[in-house]
């Protein structure tokens, strides 16, 4: 297997890990004011992600760094085309991080209310914008023969892209609700379980429509099969949630997110930035890749450090696996 293919798979894996883990973070943040009806409940909601949210963002940082190192042309085209959406995501993530860190620094309800608002905004905006960005990666954007973006912001807001934004957001909300049902107790757990049920149905409907459209635009037999498996996993997670098996329910939505993102990358390959102007202007893995020597060095580094990082993060989740009790 060529190293360009290996590194496309590595970067896809990093994005999959990011959306599976940060996805429930975003969902929890969006639901902070919906499920947290008073200060003790909101504190409990924030506590469920407190030890892990910053570690989850490492996947995004690593995905960006590895894209820059392994596929510099992809990185350059991506950031030139999606400059405004990516800048908005960065600002939202900074505000969210500040709010999560400083929420408990003052024993003042108005202060905490303002931080809660920033957490909601900082979770909702990236969910929507990441969906729009990935929908455009599948659909394609206007690129010229030099792989330069020649469109405008309006070209990124097609109906398919907007559906992608809404779908990502809905799936993350359901994923986050199931995570809260898994990590909380008593009445908060009950409300999270009920909310996961109906938001999951909405997310399932949107996901089926979005993935079907994506496969029609740019798919093959394998991406279609993976998309179908993602839909089945999501349904299985919702069934498990209904019978109060939150662990299996969370596993179901996590697998559904992972398979759905996998289907998008499989549908794209070998393109990394499809062109809507001319198929000859499509940026592929071969055209975007670094030199073979650079890819070999990166492969050695990734083989050593990636398992260590995953083990550490797995240990973190194991240590903080217990349910959060409201008021404690």
């Amino acid at each position: 297997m060529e190293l360009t293919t290996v590194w496309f798979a590595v970067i896809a894996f990093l994005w999959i890990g990011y959306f599976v883990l940060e996805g429930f973070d975003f969902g929890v943040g969006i639901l902070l004011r919906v499920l947290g009806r008073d200060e003790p409940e909101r504190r409990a909601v924030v506590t469920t992600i407190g030890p892990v949210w910053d570690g989850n963002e490492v996947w995004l940082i690593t995905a960006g760094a590895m894209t820059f190192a392994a596929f510099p042309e992809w990185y350059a085209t991506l950031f030139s085309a999606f400059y405004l959406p990516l800048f908005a995501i960065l600002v939202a993530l900074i505000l969210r991080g500040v709010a999560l860190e400083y929420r408990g620094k003052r024993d003042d309800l108005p202060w905490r209310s303002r931080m809660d608002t920033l957490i909601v905004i900082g979770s909702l905006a990236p969910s929507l914008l990441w969906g729009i960005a990935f929908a455009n990666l599948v659909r394609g954007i206007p690129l010229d023969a030099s792989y330069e973006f020649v469109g405008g912001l309006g070209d990124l807001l097609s109906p398919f892209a907007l559906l992608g934004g809404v779908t990502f957001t809905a799936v993350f909300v359901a994923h986050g609700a199931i995570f809260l049902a898994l990590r909380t107790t008593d009445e908060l757990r009950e409300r999270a379980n009920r909310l996961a049920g109906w938001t999951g149905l909405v997310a399932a409907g949107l996901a089926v429509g979005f993935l079907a459209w994506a496969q029609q635009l740019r798919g093959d037999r394998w991406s279609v099969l993976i998309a179908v498996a993602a839909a089945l996993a999501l349904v299985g997670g919702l069934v498990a949630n209904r019978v109060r098996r939150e662990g299996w329910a969370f596993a179901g939505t996590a697998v559904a997110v992972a398979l759905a993102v996998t289907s998008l990358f499989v549908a794209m390959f070998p393109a990394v930035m499809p062109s809507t102007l001319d198929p000859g202007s499509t940026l592929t893995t071969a055209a975007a890749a670094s030199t073979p020597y650079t890819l070999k060095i990166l492969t050695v580094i990734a083989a050593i450090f990636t398992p260590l990082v995953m083990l550490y993060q797995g240990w973190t989740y194991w240590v903080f696996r217990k349910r959060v009790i409201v008021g404690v």
Side-chain angles (χ1 to χ4, degrees), residues 23 26-27 30 122-132 164-166 168-169 172:
F26 287 150
I30 293 169
S123 301
L124 178 60
S127 301
L128 183 65
L129 291 172
W130 279 132
I132 291 173
V166 174
F168 269 54
T169 304
F172 291 163

Side-chain angles (χ1 to χ4, degrees), residues 34-38 41 177 186-196:
V34 176
L35 288 175
R37 296 182 176 177
D38 53 30
E41 288 189 348
D186 303 326
E187 186 179 351
L188 185 56
R189 176 188 178 189
E190 297 289 336
R191 292 203 304 271
N193 184 275
R194 290 194 299 269
L195 184 64

